[in-house]
């Protein structure tokens, strides 16, 4: 799968977003160490702080299916206006850190840029429990 294919799949995943409060649809696709893909989308809540990011739903779904190592994650913020790409929040970068994510593909809506980064560039010195 090319980065453009992954970006397209993340954009499709964003169609399932439940975001009536922000109207900001985000999709994510996790690629696990076996090459299997797991899609997710942001799920908001009337208690705003209970909302869950797309990356978190995709990662949780994969982990709940037994995945323990993730190669990469593609993220698409399809309602991001006026930006070339949109980047994952800090909390989601730390969620990626836990499962050994190496690369992150980021994009916005159809026709926007697609960039691939190393997680170590987006989230250097991530937290691991010492010992
Ligand atoms: N959101 C994500 O799904 N991923 C991110 O990395 C940042 C933000 C969602 C959360 C909320 O539903 C909406 O975008 C607006 O913040």
């Amino acid at each position: 799968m090319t980065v453009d294919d992954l970006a397209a799949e993340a954009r499709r995943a964003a169609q399932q977003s439940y975001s009536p409060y922000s109207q900001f649809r985000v999709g994510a696709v996790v690629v696990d160490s076996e090459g299997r893909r797991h899609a997710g989308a942001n799920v908001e809540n009337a208690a705003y702080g209970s909302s869950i990011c797309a990356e978190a739903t995709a990662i949780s779904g994969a982990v709940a299916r037994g995945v323990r190592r993730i190669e990469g994650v593609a993220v698409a913020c399809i309602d991001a206006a006026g930006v070339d790409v949109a980047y994952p929040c800090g909390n989601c970068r730390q969620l990626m850190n836990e499962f050994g994510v190496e690369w992150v593909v980021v994009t916005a809506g159809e026709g926007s840029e697609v960039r691939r980064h190393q997680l170590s560039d987006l989230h250097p010195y991530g937290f691991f429990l010492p010992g």
Side-chain angles (χ1 to χ4, degrees):
M1 264 216 153
T2 67
V3 290
D4 288 325
D5 292 335
L6 282 169
E9 198 161 312
R11 286 193 197 104
R12 274 196 296 281
Q15 303 288 339
Q16 303 299 334
S17 164
Y18 175 74
S19 43
Y21 305 105
S22 72
Q23 314 287 344
F24 192 81
R25 293 169 296 170
V26 185
V29 177
V30 159
V31 180
D32 71 26
S33 56
E34 311 286 310
R36 288 173 306 222
R37 301 190 302 283
H38 308 261
N42 55 331
V43 179
E44 298 187 344
N45 192 276
Y48 299 162
S50 300
S51 299
I52 311 169
C53 286
E55 300 89 322
T57 68
I59 291 170
S60 307
V63 171
R65 285 177 214 114
V67 170
R68 291 295 179 269
R69 189 151 189 93
I70 295 172
E71 248 186 45
V73 182
V75 186
C77 296
I78 62 174
D79 296 316
V83 296
D84 300 325
V85 296
Y87 283 88
C89 74
N91 185 59
C92 288
R93 296 178 197 203
Q94 176 61 26
L95 295 181
M96 294 175 193
N97 184 70
E98 180 78 12
F99 298 101
V101 169
E102 283 163 27
W103 48 263
V104 182
V105 168
V106 288
T107 192
E110 200 71 53
S112 64
E113 249 182 68
V114 177
R115 295 186 197 151
R116 184 189 195 270
H117 293 279
Q118 294 301 115
L119 180 62
S120 56
D121 290 328
L122 298 183
H123 189 66
Y125 307 109
F127 180 73
F128 292 100
L129 270 182

